[in-house]
Amino acid sequence: MCQNQGFVLDGYPKTYDQAKALFVPEDDIEELEQESKVPQFDKLIMPELLVSLEAPDEFLRDRVMNLPEKLIEGTHNTEDKLNKRLTIFRENNTEDVTVLNYFDELEVHPYVIDITKDKSKDAENTVEQLKKMVGNPRNYGATPEELEEQKKAEAERRIRMETMEREQRQRKEEEELSEMKRRQEEWRSRLEDVKREEREALEAQSAPLRNYLMKHVMPTLTMALVDCCKARPDDAVDFIAEYLFTHNPQVD
């Protein structure tokens, strides 16, 4: 990955010569090397981070052979093509001359990761390790103007959301209040019905007694009270009792 995060090289360069040709303009190689004994390179495009994932050939064959058929079809990950690629790579990268030697000479040392030690699914641990090495993305963010627009849009969105939530709360409170009033009115209506039914039941129960009193007691008692008021005796109760006894229609 280059220093300004401009590109990622995956699997290239594969040889020492390819790396040398890539990072030093071809026309300047001889001139630069004649002027300085230190290897020269273009600092603007030199990778800031180098990672070498290493594994034995047998591990790589097993990994490719265990891939689903749909991922292998139409690619160079067949057994024959893989063996050919491994052979070419080993021929171009001997124990003394490898593509990594080029970067070591420039004091740009690669991170070497033994992929066989990662037992996680889909090499997730290695991926997380690479994320930490690379760090947060740079130079791909929005411009200050775009950030300002994003901030403004986010503020407007937040205001809309708050307004919407406030209106929803108000509607909910109004609905709850309306429901509460409806239940209270229903409860009052039922209470009035119960009271009315109780009055009607009480009146129905008391009608025989009232009729009995009006027929057999009240006429004589009324006359007794009238005479008592006229006579105004000292013992009104005794007067009424005597009157009732004397004027009892049931006694001849």
Side-chain angles (χ1 to χ4, degrees):
M1 183 173 293
C2 70
Q3 291 180 354
N4 65 359
Q5 308 289 306
F7 59 83
V8 174
L9 296 176
D10 181 12
Y12 188 86
K14 293 182 174 62
T15 67
Y16 184 99
D17 291 337
Q18 286 178 349
K20 188 174 182 180
L22 178 63
F23 295 108
V24 179
E26 184 175 354
D27 297 338
D28 299 338
I29 292 178
E30 295 183 2
E31 181 180 349
L32 290 172
E33 291 187 349
Q34 289 176 358
E35 295 177 357
S36 174
K37 295 182 179 180
V38 178
Q40 300 297 306
F41 60 91
D42 189 340
K43 295 181 180 180
L44 295 178
I45 63 173
M46 174 56 62
E48 179 184 18
L49 178 66
L50 296 171
V51 178
S52 175
L53 303 179
E54 296 192 350
D57 293 355
E58 194 60 33
F59 177 89
L60 298 175
R61 291 191 186 95
D62 290 342
R63 186 177 180 85
V64 170
M65 293 302 101
N66 289 325
L67 290 174
E69 186 66 27
K70 61 181 181 181
L71 296 181
I72 297 176
E73 186 176 357
T75 70
H76 54 206
N77 287 327
T78 62
E79 185 175 4
D80 292 340
K81 291 182 179 179
L82 174 64
N83 288 331
K84 182 178 179 180
R85 287 159 54 206
L86 288 174
T87 299
I88 294 174
F89 180 82
R90 298 306 180 194
E91 289 176 352
N92 292 327
N93 291 271
T94 63
E95 188 171 324
D96 297 326
V97 180
T98 70
V99 64
L100 298 181
N101 293 143
Y102 173 77
F103 298 103
D104 282 330
E105 292 172 1
L106 302 177
E107 299 297 326
V108 181
H109 303 296
Y111 291 93
V112 178
I113 298 178
D114 185 353
I115 197 65
T116 63
K117 295 181 179 180
D118 189 348
K119 306 301 181 182
S120 62
K121 181 181 178 181
D122 297 329
E124 292 176 351
N125 292 340
T126 299
V127 173
E128 290 302 318
Q129 186 177 354
L130 292 174
K131 287 181 179 179
K132 292 179 180 179
M133 291 179 182
V134 174
N136 296 327
R138 300 192 296 272
N139 292 346
Y140 287 117
T143 64
E145 292 78 10
E146 291 173 336
L147 290 174
E148 187 64 28
E149 285 297 322
Q150 292 175 5
K151 188 183 298 184
K152 184 185 299 183
E154 176 62 23
E156 293 175 353
R157 186 194 68 81
R158 186 169 59 253
I159 292 173
R160 286 196 301 269
M161 290 297 296
E162 291 174 352
T163 302
M164 186 182 304
E165 291 174 357
R166 183 169 59 254
E167 291 175 350
Q168 289 177 347
R169 284 196 303 271
Q170 289 176 349
R171 284 196 298 268
K172 185 176 180 180
E173 290 174 357
E174 291 173 357
E175 290 173 357
E176 291 176 349
L177 181 59
S178 176
E179 178 66 15
M180 183 177 66
K181 289 181 178 180
R182 185 192 66 79
R183 291 182 179 181
Q184 288 177 344
E185 186 63 30
E186 183 180 357
W187 182 83
R188 282 195 295 268
S189 176
R190 290 182 179 178
L191 182 60
E192 290 297 326
D193 291 341
V194 170
K195 289 181 178 180
R196 178 177 52 77
E197 292 172 357
E198 288 179 347
R199 286 196 302 270
E200 293 175 352
L202 184 60
E203 290 176 359
Q205 292 174 359
S206 63
L209 177 59
R210 188 167 56 252
N211 292 335
Y212 174 82
L213 292 174
M214 292 299 294
K215 180 178 180 180
H216 299 288
V217 176
M218 291 307 296
T220 305
L221 180 60
T222 301
M223 293 303 298
L225 291 173
V226 171
D227 285 355
C228 181
C229 290
K230 291 178 179 180
R232 294 185 180 182
D234 293 334
D235 190 346
V237 174
D238 183 66
F239 179 89
I240 293 173
E242 182 65 25
Y243 183 95
L244 293 176
F245 179 76
T246 304
H247 296 82
N248 185 358
Q250 302 297 327
V251 178
D252 296 331

